[in-house]
Amino acid sequence: MDKQTVTIYDVAREAKVSMATVSRVVNGNANVKAETKEKVNAVIAKLGYRPNAVARGLASRRTTTIGVVIPDVTNHYFAELARGIDDVAAMYHYQIILANSDESDTKEVQVMENLLGKQVDGIIFMGNTLNDAIRDEFKKADVPVALAGLLDEAEEQPSVNIAYRSAMSDATTGLLKAGHKRIAFVSGDLDHYMNKAHKLLGYQDALAAYDIAYDEKLVFEGKYDYQSGYQLADQIKNSAATAAIVANDEMAAGVINGLTDAGVNVPEDFEIITSNDSKVAVITRPQLSSITQPIYDIGAVAMRMLTKLMNHEELAVNDIVLPHGFADRGSTKDVK
Amino acid sequence: MDKQTVTIYDVAREAKVSMATVSRVVNGNANVKAETKEKVNAVIAKLGYRPNAVARGLASRRTTTIGVVIPDVTNHYFAELARGIDDVAAMYHYQIILANSDESDTKEVQVMENLLGKQVDGIIFMGNTLNDAIRDEFKKADVPVALAGLLDEAEEQPSVNIAYRSAMSDATTGLLKAGHKRIAFVSGDLDHYMNKAHKLLGYQDALAAYDIAYDEKLVFEGKYDYQSGYQLADQIKNSAATAAIVANDEMAAGVINGLTDAGVNVPEDFEIITSNDSKVAVITRPQLSSITQPIYDIGAVAMRMLTKLMNHEELAVNDIVLPHGFADRGSTKDVK
DNA sequence: GTGAAAGCGCTAACAA
DNA sequence: TTGTTAGCGCTTTCAC
């Protein structure tokens, strides 16, 4: 049960070549005679030699490992992002160190330190918001950091997102067109930049275009999860809203179920639009009409972006905006 | 953007001590005078020194990193297991390299090779089944491998599970007690050991106890996912079954929605029990009655087990069986 | 096309 | 309590 015993040196001795040559064939360096290469490969197979990535990392100063900071693997939105990241990472032969941050400020910082200590070649950061402590970590990082599904208020890190503001505005407009006057806006923490400065503004843009006064009583703040959406349902019902736009699928599932359980008929008496179009959106009954966004692609593109950064390539665009759309399902009667 | 510049040597020079002493304070070795320790820590803070885990790994032959093989992060059952693993790993200061295997035999092997090359200190393996190729990898591994939510037919690897057979038997018995004569059994690939040799047997045990003949026409095989459950709904409806027991939540969500969409009233005309009690079980309407199992704990205990193995401690039990239960919800009328 | 040798940054004896 | 010194297994000049 003790680790790795056959080293590059053993292979070299057995194949009667130098370590350098073995290293060359292992790394696919062209400057090796075909004959030598075969001989070395034969010995590698015979001995069951497996290169030690740690030694390689130390010598080359590249670990072919990237760090991925995720608030919670268990949240489908982030899991889907992670999937996109992982697939592209695998394509480029990078491994992933996954670190749960629990959306805790201190854990985020600690996790970044761990990752940096492990000498990852780059980092993809996911989360609901960014604070100064974590921005400091980004600065301390001697490797590139890309954001997936997260906007940086300070615009310092490259990122991949959709246009949350106009997506929200479009969806709200759909509800407005359907005749709604009192539309609830439901999101996570309103101090969070993306909610406060993008999603909520989109909602307000739409109201303004329809000359409807913004009413704070129709704005509901929760905790990004199912439970919190479920609990909000009662207040939403009592707010005399006739429709709601929810910034996140897990909350939306909570809202629709909470409303249904409270005797409200969706979509007849109340219409709901959610934002992520993740798996849960089609599991609820009625199914959730949703802004559609390419979650997997956001992760994938962020990872692709990171590979470029790690190769010191210039980025054409620093903040990539992917297209969004709308899926009309059961939780709305006739939107869009 | 180039990596780490300040090394243990810089700290040593600046603090006027040897590298060994710096190493001792960094690693919390007791044999350092308080005064020296302070001095060194001050320099560390001043220089912003961060130990290089790669160098450390090479020198100590321990990376404090474990590999986690997961079929798909996007699947809630596995994500929840991963969460349990990660939390305990963090508690013991291990980092996690997460590797998606896609349930593909070749990817599983390849992923194991990667992990081993990275010199992980141990591996937790998740999946739906085990084949000989992957067992060979386990043997080649010079580090411990533990299984989470997966049984090894060959009983070579330590594992953490629930008693699937009796859980299935109990749940089926509940349906039998409620008067059902034609109960469908729905699972993933029936070639998979856990389905074939545990879950299906539990179902058969229950039927036998009630003198009901086993009918192959009531056994439905799918692909562990929502779509496949949804598609099976039609056949299940036509099988004249009056109830179903489903081996996995995503499939169960598909089945209940497929049935509902096909005009079948659940639970009035058809009762359903699922097996994992994951988040989706409470998102569907009606909510899914379910065998309850401590998914998070299975992951957590597997990780705890692995820490023992990595410390060369003896395991009291090699195959840990955690308790299961039953949650009576909307998809059954009165079971248990 | 191949080899020799100097590190990469750290830990772990062993001395002192 | 502290310092010296080999490595850990590999990559990477630089020669040849």
Side-chain angles (χ1 to χ4, degrees):
Chain A
M1 223 45 151
D2 266 348
K3 284 203 195 155
Q4 167 105 18
T5 35
V6 22
T7 75
I8 199 173
Y9 181 75
D10 299 322
V11 176
R13 189 165 25 79
E14 186 82 8
K16 299 191 172 76
V17 297
S18 72
M19 288 163 56
T21 299
V22 179
S23 175
R24 286 187 190 101
V25 351
V26 167
N27 292 299
N29 187 312
N31 286 345
V32 186
K33 216 198 304 178
E35 199 182 327
T36 323
K37 190 191 290 183
E38 262 176 48
K39 188 173 59 180
V40 171
N41 276 135
V43 174
I44 286 176
K46 176 179 151 203
L47 262 39
Y49 168 69
R50 180 195 299 129
N52 180 326
V54 174
R56 191 190 294 215
L58 185 58
S60 68
R61 302 156 138 286
R62 294 190 58 237
T63 54
T64 61
T65 302
I66 66 143
V68 173
V69 180
I70 191 170
D72 182 7
V73 241
T74 264
N75 176 306
H76 195 269
Y77 173 74
F78 293 116
E80 185 80 19
L81 283 177
R83 199 64 233 271
I85 295 168
D86 191 84
D87 284 354
V88 173
M91 201 175 299
Y92 286 87
H93 302 291
Y94 280 96
Q95 266 88 67
I96 280 182
I97 299 189
L98 214 261
N100 275 100
S101 68
D102 282 340
E103 306 191 47
S104 135
D105 297 352
T106 52
K107 257 207 112 184
E108 278 178 355
V109 170
Q110 179 193 316
V111 138
M112 281 288 297
E113 284 294 321
N114 284 163
L115 256 17
L116 263 11
K118 291 269 181 190
Q119 312 302 115
V120 294
D121 295 336
I123 290 177
I124 296 209
F125 192 93
M126 297 181 271
N128 292 312
T129 194
L130 247 30
N131 60 31
D132 286 337
I134 196 72
R135 283 203 195 86
D136 278 355
E137 285 299 318
F138 291 168
K139 268 173 215 148
K140 277 202 274 176
D142 24 28
V143 294
V145 177
L147 309 176
L150 176 60
L151 284 165
D152 181 13
E153 184 168 6
E155 300 195 339
E156 282 158 345
Q157 304 303 326
S159 66
V160 183
N161 291 277
I162 61 160
Y164 303 109
R165 184 167 178 169
S166 58
M168 269 299 184
S169 165
D170 293 351
T172 308
T173 301
L175 257 11
L176 255 9
K177 273 192 192 148
H180 291 279
K181 307 285 182 214
R182 295 183 61 78
I183 302 171
F185 174 88
V186 185
S187 80
D189 197 326
L190 278 168
D191 283 345
H192 291 176
Y193 176 67
M194 293 210 296
N195 294 144
K196 178 180 57 186
H198 286 263
K199 297 181 180 180
L200 183 58
L201 292 189
Y203 165 79
Q204 293 173 325
D205 290 346
L207 294 184
Y210 274 69
D211 279 328
I212 294 190
Y214 169 66
D215 181 357
E216 279 199 345
K217 292 196 195 68
L218 291 176
V219 174
F220 299 88
E221 190 175 1
K223 277 170 47 209
Y224 294 104
D225 62 11
Y226 181 84
Q227 269 315 314
S228 123
Y230 194 89
Q231 285 158 7
L232 244 24
D234 236 28
Q235 297 173 43
I236 295 171
K237 184 184 173 189
N238 295 332
S239 72
T242 59
I245 172 123
V246 186
N248 140 337
D249 285 7
E250 312 237 343
M251 288 188 83
V255 170
I256 195 172
N257 281 345
L259 249 20
T260 303
D261 291 356
V264 176
N265 286 320
V266 179
E268 293 77 7
D269 304 336
F270 196 99
E271 299 191 78
I272 300 179
I273 294 178
T274 187
S275 302
N276 302 342
D277 191 34
S278 68
K279 226 182 328 194
V280 299
V282 298
I283 292 185
T284 61
R285 282 302 115 103
Q287 297 183 38
L288 290 160
S289 294
S290 181
I291 292 169
T292 56
Q293 51 172 300
I295 309 183
Y296 175 93
D297 293 346
I298 292 177
V301 171
M303 181 63 216
R304 178 63 186 106
M305 192 177 205
L306 193 66
T307 62
K308 288 186 185 165
L309 259 8
M310 292 186 297
N311 285 333
H312 305 286
E313 294 173 31
E314 276 297 314
L315 255 30
V317 190
N318 229 275
D319 295 286
I320 297 184
V321 177
L322 261 26
H324 62 268
F326 184 80
D328 184 14
R329 287 197 276 255
S331 67
T332 49
K333 281 176 291 192
D334 181 29
V335 171
K336 224 171 217 173
Chain B
M1 220 50 150
D2 265 351
K3 284 206 195 152
Q4 166 104 18
T5 33
V6 22
T7 74
I8 199 172
Y9 181 75
D10 299 321
V11 176
R13 187 164 26 79
E14 185 83 8
K16 299 189 172 76
V17 296
S18 71
M19 287 163 54
T21 299
V22 178
S23 175
R24 286 189 189 99
V25 351
V26 168
N27 292 299
N29 186 314
N31 286 345
V32 185
K33 217 197 305 178
E35 199 182 328
T36 323
K37 191 191 293 185
E38 264 176 46
K39 188 173 59 179
V40 171
N41 276 136
V43 174
I44 286 177
K46 176 178 150 204
L47 262 39
Y49 167 68
R50 180 195 299 128
N52 181 326
V54 173
R56 192 189 290 214
L58 185 57
S60 68
R61 304 158 140 285
R62 294 190 58 238
T63 54
T64 62
T65 302
I66 66 141
V68 173
V69 180
I70 191 169
D72 181 7
V73 242
T74 264
N75 176 307
H76 195 271
Y77 173 74
F78 292 117
E80 185 81 19
L81 283 176
R83 199 65 232 268
I85 294 168
D86 191 84
D87 283 356
V88 173
M91 200 176 297
Y92 286 87
H93 302 291
Y94 280 97
Q95 267 87 66
I96 279 182
I97 298 188
L98 215 261
N100 276 100
S101 68
D102 282 339
E103 307 190 45
S104 133
D105 296 352
T106 51
K107 257 209 111 181
E108 280 178 354
V109 168
Q110 177 193 319
V111 137
M112 281 288 297
E113 284 294 321
N114 283 164
L115 258 16
L116 264 11
K118 291 268 182 195
Q119 311 303 115
V120 295
D121 294 336
I123 289 176
I124 297 209
F125 191 94
M126 297 181 272
N128 291 313
T129 194
L130 249 30
N131 61 31
D132 286 336
I134 198 72
R135 285 203 194 87
D136 277 355
E137 285 299 316
F138 292 168
K139 269 173 212 146
K140 276 202 274 176
D142 24 28
V143 294
V145 177
L147 309 176
L150 176 59
L151 284 165
D152 181 13
E153 183 168 6
E155 300 196 338
E156 281 157 348
Q157 304 302 326
S159 66
V160 183
N161 291 278
I162 61 162
Y164 303 109
R165 183 168 179 170
S166 59
M168 268 300 183
S169 165
D170 294 352
T172 308
T173 301
L175 256 11
L176 256 8
K177 273 192 191 145
H180 291 282
K181 307 284 182 214
R182 294 183 61 79
I183 302 171
F185 173 89
V186 185
S187 80
D189 197 326
L190 278 168
D191 282 343
H192 291 175
Y193 176 66
M194 296 211 294
N195 294 143
K196 176 181 56 185
H198 287 262
K199 298 181 180 181
L200 184 59
L201 292 188
Y203 165 78
Q204 293 173 323
D205 290 346
L207 294 185
Y210 274 68
D211 279 328
I212 293 190
Y214 168 66
D215 180 355
E216 278 198 345
K217 292 197 194 66
L218 292 175
V219 174
F220 299 88
E221 190 175 0
K223 278 170 48 208
Y224 294 106
D225 62 12
Y226 181 83
Q227 269 317 315
S228 122
Y230 194 89
Q231 285 158 6
L232 245 22
D234 237 28
Q235 297 173 43
I236 295 172
K237 184 184 173 189
N238 295 333
S239 71
T242 59
I245 173 124
V246 186
N248 141 334
D249 285 8
E250 311 236 344
M251 288 187 83
V255 170
I256 196 171
N257 281 345
L259 249 19
T260 303
D261 292 355
V264 176
N265 286 319
V266 178
E268 293 77 8
D269 304 336
F270 195 97
E271 300 192 76
I272 300 178
I273 295 178
T274 186
S275 302
N276 302 341
D277 191 35
S278 68
K279 227 182 326 193
V280 297
V282 300
I283 292 184
T284 60
R285 281 303 114 105
Q287 297 183 36
L288 289 160
S289 295
S290 182
I291 292 169
T292 58
Q293 51 173 301
I295 307 182
Y296 176 93
D297 294 346
I298 291 176
V301 171
M303 182 62 216
R304 178 64 187 105
M305 192 176 204
L306 192 65
T307 63
K308 289 186 184 166
L309 258 7
M310 292 186 296
N311 286 333
H312 305 286
E313 293 173 33
E314 276 296 314
L315 256 29
V317 190
N318 229 275
D319 295 286
I320 297 184
V321 177
L322 261 27
H324 62 269
F326 184 80
D328 184 14
R329 287 196 278 254
S331 67
T332 50
K333 281 176 290 193
D334 180 30
V335 170
K336 225 173 214 171

